[in-house]
Amino acid sequence: MQIARSGCLAIPQFQWYNLVLQPRGICIEATNTAKFGSGASRSWLEETALEQQFQELKTRLAEIDDLQAANALLTWDQATYMPAGGAAARSRQLSTIARLAHEKATAPALGRLLETLRPYEESLDYDTDEAGLVRVARRTFERLVNVPSDFVARLNGHAAQSYEAWTRARPANDFAAVQPMLETTLELSRQLADFFPGYDHIADPLIAFADYGMQARTVQALFADLREQLVPIAQEIFARPTADASCLQQAFPIDRQQAFGEHVIKQLGYDFSRGRQDTTHHPFMIKFSLGDVRITTRFNEHDLGDGLFSTIHESGHAMYEQGVSSALEATPLADGTSSGVHESQSRLWENIVGRSRDFWEAFYPQLQATFLDQLGNVTLDTFYRAINRVAPSLIRVDADEVTYNLHVMMRFDFELDLLEGRLTVRDLPEAWRERCKADLGIAPADDRDGVLQDVHWFAGSIGGAFQGYAIGNILSAQFFAAATQERPDILADVRRGDFGVLRDWLTRNIYRHGSKFTAAEITERATGRPLSIEPYIAYLRAKYGELYAL
Ligand code: ZN
């Protein structure tokens, strides 16, 4: 998960805050005034006026960004160190700051300024940071201005309370305790969508917050294609003997798990001088500035994979944010561009790199040395098969690469059903069990491992919260295929524990651009084609074909 914007996209937990208050900060880089004159025969006075207006835009966006960063810090604190007694006041504080930020983000003067700067934007090359800033700031303004500030405050306050209730309800397996709150969340989600009249599907405005350019029907078509390819692969694997993962289920002291995880992500490129890691209920990444991009994780003493792959996952989100060009600092461009692209970065590092044989050729001897008693007699091959074991499972975040997307599709369908009124919140736990049974052949014994397992709906919206995870899986393979096609030496590097060339490719093609380009633009520019499931299916067929002799 991510929090900075869309989620893990980042972050379901702070979705209202993230999605509704998207604009961030100010560009502190001195403007290249020479660019103001390009393409137009404006007088010196006109150019000076435009320059002043552009500076005013950056100043206004910076103030919004500061409020948003303050809200993010309160959110991070709530999810890590805040005592339970702070919950009520924290809900109010988040609500107040969200309202203030929203008022600034929708101020009529900001709208007028963006209109005044339209000729300036049109005189610039589309790819420049300045044109991108005006373009993205206008798109955000036009979206946010539809939503009243009071509603934003209510939404953020409700999300904070609901999150707090969920942290108690899940361990207690008490869906009834959060059901009324979830009903309110559904109602607020519908109201939010209705601020954007003219949609084809009620989920469309909510999906657009996280994955701009996608709609319910495009996601449904994509998922239908994916399901058609994925289910036969899963069934072929299920027909084979299940891999033995018992080597991962021993007692692994948590302090050593944490130290090893931090060692790994340092090698991958997560910069601890511009970040830190803490523990929480539901791992996430959150950014306060390009110089402070934090991650959280959780550890299970009896499951080595849980903490390790969560840590790598969140570091993938964080490296994306840490890799944004410093020229974009504190502007609305200084975030990952969409939930799907963000998730592609976490999944690329977690799965395509972090669960590859090449990667563990470099790191397994170090892992064995760290856990000599537990893994000293476990071969690399046994370990590799264990971390890539494919089997029906109940928990999305623990699911293998092959079945993971089925968990996402189920949640996406539930969101549409709830928003459309075909399913009630009351009936959701039972619907969850039935769908698990139908898709995976197993059903959770309780709600803790069923409908209560994900934080998203209990701390954000219903609608748009999950599709990014599957889009991210698809894109992770598409990006990695493009990177290795251009630089085939990446694979040999990974085998040596060297990730510089891969990170440079990702920085050049994805990270540094932040939100300047849309997900569709980034995909086309980086890979030469639109979003496609082919590289992902080819990746799964090659990897699991070898592992399971398909
Ligand atoms: Zn994530």
Side-chain angles (χ1 to χ4, degrees):
M1 128 163 161
Q2 152 206 359
I3 284 179
R5 182 183 137 105
S6 25
C8 72
L9 202 185
I11 310 155
Q13 179 167 338
F14 315 103
Q15 206 162 28
W16 294 125
Y17 147 73
N18 283 293
L19 300 185
V20 177
L21 299 177
Q22 206 170 26
R24 297 186 58 99
I26 183 177
C27 180
I28 53 174
E29 188 189 53
T31 302
N32 181 355
T33 50
K35 289 180 181 163
F36 281 103
S38 65
S41 55
R42 285 190 284 267
S43 70
W44 177 81
L45 272 176
E46 285 169 330
E47 284 180 23
T48 305
L50 277 177
E51 187 183 346
Q52 284 173 349
Q53 283 156 346
F54 188 67
Q55 292 301 331
E56 187 189 339
L57 174 69
K58 291 198 292 183
T59 303
R60 283 178 175 273
L61 295 175
E63 288 175 357
I64 297 164
D65 189 69
D66 290 344
L67 289 170
Q68 200 177 17
N71 225 339
L73 186 55
L74 292 180
T75 300
W76 171 85
D77 174 68
Q78 180 180 20
T80 50
Y81 297 111
M82 187 189 80
R90 184 56 46 90
S91 163
R92 188 189 67 241
Q93 292 153 357
L94 288 167
S95 163
T96 299
I97 296 177
R99 180 172 49 73
L100 292 174
H102 189 77
E103 284 169 3
K104 283 190 177 291
T106 56
L110 178 59
R112 286 194 296 273
L113 195 54
L114 287 164
E115 274 314 303
T116 310
L117 285 166
R118 198 183 281 274
Y120 166 61
E121 177 200 353
E122 288 167 355
S123 74
L124 296 170
D125 187 278
Y126 186 89
D127 289 4
T128 60
D129 292 350
E130 290 81 1
L133 180 59
V134 181
R135 179 171 69 241
V136 172
R138 179 182 298 111
R139 186 194 302 151
T140 306
F141 176 84
E142 287 173 352
R143 179 189 299 164
L144 297 187
V145 80
N146 290 302
V147 186
S149 296
D150 288 349
F151 180 82
V152 172
R154 196 174 154 217
L155 210 51
N156 277 272
H158 173 71
Q161 281 178 339
S162 174
Y163 169 72
E164 209 54 40
W166 170 80
T167 62
R168 292 188 302 273
R170 190 182 179 210
N173 187 36
D174 188 2
F175 180 75
V178 286
Q179 183 186 321
M181 287 194 163
L182 198 55
E183 284 165 349
T184 302
T185 302
L186 177 59
E187 187 47 42
L188 290 171
S189 303
R190 287 195 183 117
Q191 287 177 29
L192 181 60
D194 285 339
F195 290 127
F196 301 86
Y199 51 67
D200 284 343
H201 190 283
I202 187 170
D204 287 351
L206 307 169
I207 292 170
F209 274 124
D211 289 289
Y212 177 77
M214 301 296 276
Q215 294 176 310
R217 71 182 158 75
T218 49
V219 177
Q220 282 175 309
L222 180 71
F223 284 4
D225 287 349
L226 185 59
R227 176 180 284 273
E228 197 181 313
Q229 301 278 336
L230 212 51
V231 169
I233 299 176
Q235 283 170 344
E236 282 178 61
I237 295 173
F238 294 161
R240 297 276 193 282
T242 311
D244 178 8
S246 57
C247 65
L248 302 173
Q249 270 96 47
Q250 307 178 62
F252 294 94
I254 283 173
D255 57 338
R256 274 188 272 161
Q257 287 193 45
Q258 182 160 358
F260 185 80
E262 291 187 356
H263 165 69
V264 167
I265 63 177
K266 249 183 231 168
Q267 301 302 309
L268 297 179
Y270 177 67
D271 180 356
F272 273 93
S273 75
R274 294 190 292 143
R276 57 176 286 133
Q277 180 173 252
D278 296 88
T279 54
T280 187
H281 295 280
H282 193 120
F284 63 88
M285 180 281 296
I286 192 162
K287 185 186 71 185
F288 311 126
S289 70
L290 295 177
D292 190 353
V293 183
R294 301 186 192 183
I295 56 178
T296 63
T297 192
R298 65 179 171 203
F299 297 100
N300 178 342
E301 193 185 350
H302 299 285
D303 186 346
L304 180 62
D306 196 358
L308 180 58
F309 291 107
S310 280
T311 299
I312 298 176
H313 180 101
E314 299 307 331
S315 80
H317 282 304
M319 286 191 280
Y320 185 7
E321 299 281 333
Q322 289 183 334
V324 172
S325 163
S326 59
L328 306 180
E329 171 72 302
T331 75
L333 305 183
D335 289 313
T337 193
S338 73
S339 167
V341 174
H342 231 300
E343 206 59 29
S344 78
Q345 296 313 298
S346 54
R347 301 292 279 179
L348 185 151
W349 289 106
E350 177 194 355
N351 289 334
I352 297 184
V353 174
R355 289 183 208 266
S356 70
R357 199 188 289 270
D358 290 339
F359 175 87
W360 286 104
E361 278 182 20
F363 283 91
Y364 192 59
Q366 301 170 41
L367 185 71
Q368 276 184 309
T370 306
F371 298 108
L372 205 53
D373 291 347
Q374 297 88 341
L375 298 174
N377 295 320
V378 177
T379 65
L380 169 60
D381 191 63
T382 301
F383 177 77
Y384 174 64
R385 286 172 189 281
I387 59 173
N388 288 294
R389 175 179 187 264
V390 176
S393 61
L394 296 172
I395 305 295
R396 174 184 62 86
V397 295
D398 298 336
D400 58 79
E401 288 181 273
V402 178
T403 58
Y404 184 95
N405 296 297
L406 299 174
H407 291 260
V408 175
M409 292 175 193
M410 173 176 115
R411 287 154 177 76
F412 180 76
D413 289 344
F414 282 148
E415 289 194 311
L416 300 193
D417 290 347
L418 287 163
L419 286 165
E420 288 174 37
R422 283 201 305 267
L423 175 65
T424 64
V425 169
R426 175 190 296 273
D427 293 337
L428 185 58
E430 187 52 35
W432 191 286
R433 282 187 280 276
E434 283 172 16
R435 179 70 182 260
C436 275
K437 193 96 188 129
D439 274 15
L440 298 162
I442 53 173
D446 58 29
D447 293 333
R448 183 180 11 222
D449 289 341
V451 67
L452 286 173
Q453 69 179 266
D454 294 301
V455 65
H456 308 56
W457 293 337
F458 301 98
S461 63
I462 293 175
F466 286 100
Q467 75 284 332
Y469 291 107
I471 294 169
N473 285 331
I474 297 166
L475 282 176
S476 68
Q478 190 169 340
F479 288 137
F480 193 74
T484 49
Q485 191 173 7
E486 190 182 320
R487 292 298 301 264
D489 50 331
I490 285 173
L491 296 173
D493 279 0
V494 169
R495 230 168 286 141
R496 289 194 302 270
D498 179 351
F499 308 97
V501 174
L502 175 58
R503 218 172 41 245
D504 286 349
W505 189 93
L506 294 169
T507 302
R508 197 159 25 87
N509 288 283
I510 301 168
Y511 296 175
R512 70 186 169 104
H513 299 305
S515 298
K516 188 161 73 178
F517 303 120
T518 64
E521 288 168 342
I522 287 274
T523 304
E524 188 87 46
R525 282 165 182 257
T527 71
R529 61 193 295 194
L531 172 73
S532 164
I533 64 170
E534 278 170 42
Y536 180 58
I537 296 299
Y539 159 75
L540 290 179
R541 282 241 166 246
K543 178 174 177 177
Y544 291 92
E546 188 262 324
L547 268 167
Y548 283 88
L550 302 181

